[in-house]
Every structure is written in C-alpha cells, then in structure tokens.
Amino acid sequence: MPTDAERAEALRAAADFLVGAGVARIPLPPQLKAPLGVVAPTAVESIALEVAKILGASGNPKVPKPKRKRKDPKMSKALKQSNARFRKKNGALRSGATQAKIMAYAHKLRRKM
C-alpha cells in the first residue's frame, strides 16, 4: 500500500503530464505558450488537489470549524504557557520578546499537543 507521500508524488506527476500534454496540444502562438508555461505549476497543484479530493487523500483531514477556531482550548493553554515564558511577573515583555514570538511559540506548542 503506497504512503500518502508516494500518492501525492504520483498525483503531481500525473497532473504535470496532463498539463504538459494539454499545453502541447493547444494551437496557440508561441508568444502565448511561454506565459502558459509559467502558469502550469499552479495548474498542476490545483489539479493534484482536485484528484486527491476525488481519491479521498486530501492533505489536511482536520479542517477546524469556525466555532472551534473561536474557542480552542489547546491554543488557550498554549498561549498561557507562551506568555508565562516570554513575560515578567509584572506583565511586561522580557528583553528580545515580541508578540510575534509569543504567538509563534504558542502555535508550536499547540502543534505538539
């Protein structure tokens, strides 16, 4: 049984082949074929995603619902831990700490939970 990575690679290769074959068959002037080659990688990615959806091998099976986004207990816990690490007892930021660093660390903790 192929792994998800092998499936994704096969899907990308198939989509790349299909786009390449389609571009070769389209009777376009050479001036338009060059920009089409620039757009092809985006088309390959979108085709691969569509094929993956059809086959049931989507990349992110856990898409959070809007209600869950608003109230995520794990993220809340991660933010508390992150703020405890990057702030002093009086609530001021430690030297070198920024809100961006606090949030990045909180997301990192959230992924580990």
Side-chain angles (χ1 to χ4, degrees):
M1 186 98 189
T3 64
D4 286 342
E6 291 171 344
R7 267 193 214 146
E9 188 177 330
L11 289 173
R12 278 215 172 82
D16 194 17
F17 172 76
L18 291 173
V19 169
V23 169
R25 288 185 191 165
I26 298 173
L28 292 175
Q31 300 90 345
L32 292 178
K33 281 203 178 188
L36 201 55
V38 174
V39 176
T42 308
V44 167
E45 186 69 25
S46 61
I47 291 171
L49 289 174
E50 288 301 317
V51 172
K53 283 181 188 175
I54 292 168
L55 295 177
S58 62
N60 189 4
K62 290 184 181 181
V63 177
K65 296 178 182 174
K67 189 174 184 180
R68 183 73 175 175
K69 284 183 186 177
R70 283 194 300 271
K71 183 185 172 189
D72 187 354
K74 289 182 180 179
M75 188 62 184
S76 177
K77 186 176 177 183
L79 277 168
K80 285 176 188 170
Q81 290 177 1
S82 184
N83 272 309
R85 177 178 174 167
F86 285 100
R87 291 186 184 271
K88 298 178 186 176
K89 284 186 178 181
N90 67 1
L93 287 173
R94 292 188 182 276
S95 175
T98 63
Q99 188 61 40
K101 286 183 181 180
I102 291 173
M103 290 304 293
Y105 187 68
H107 280 99
K108 181 178 180 180
L109 289 175
R110 167 66 175 86
R111 282 192 305 271
K112 289 182 177 181
M113 290 182 181

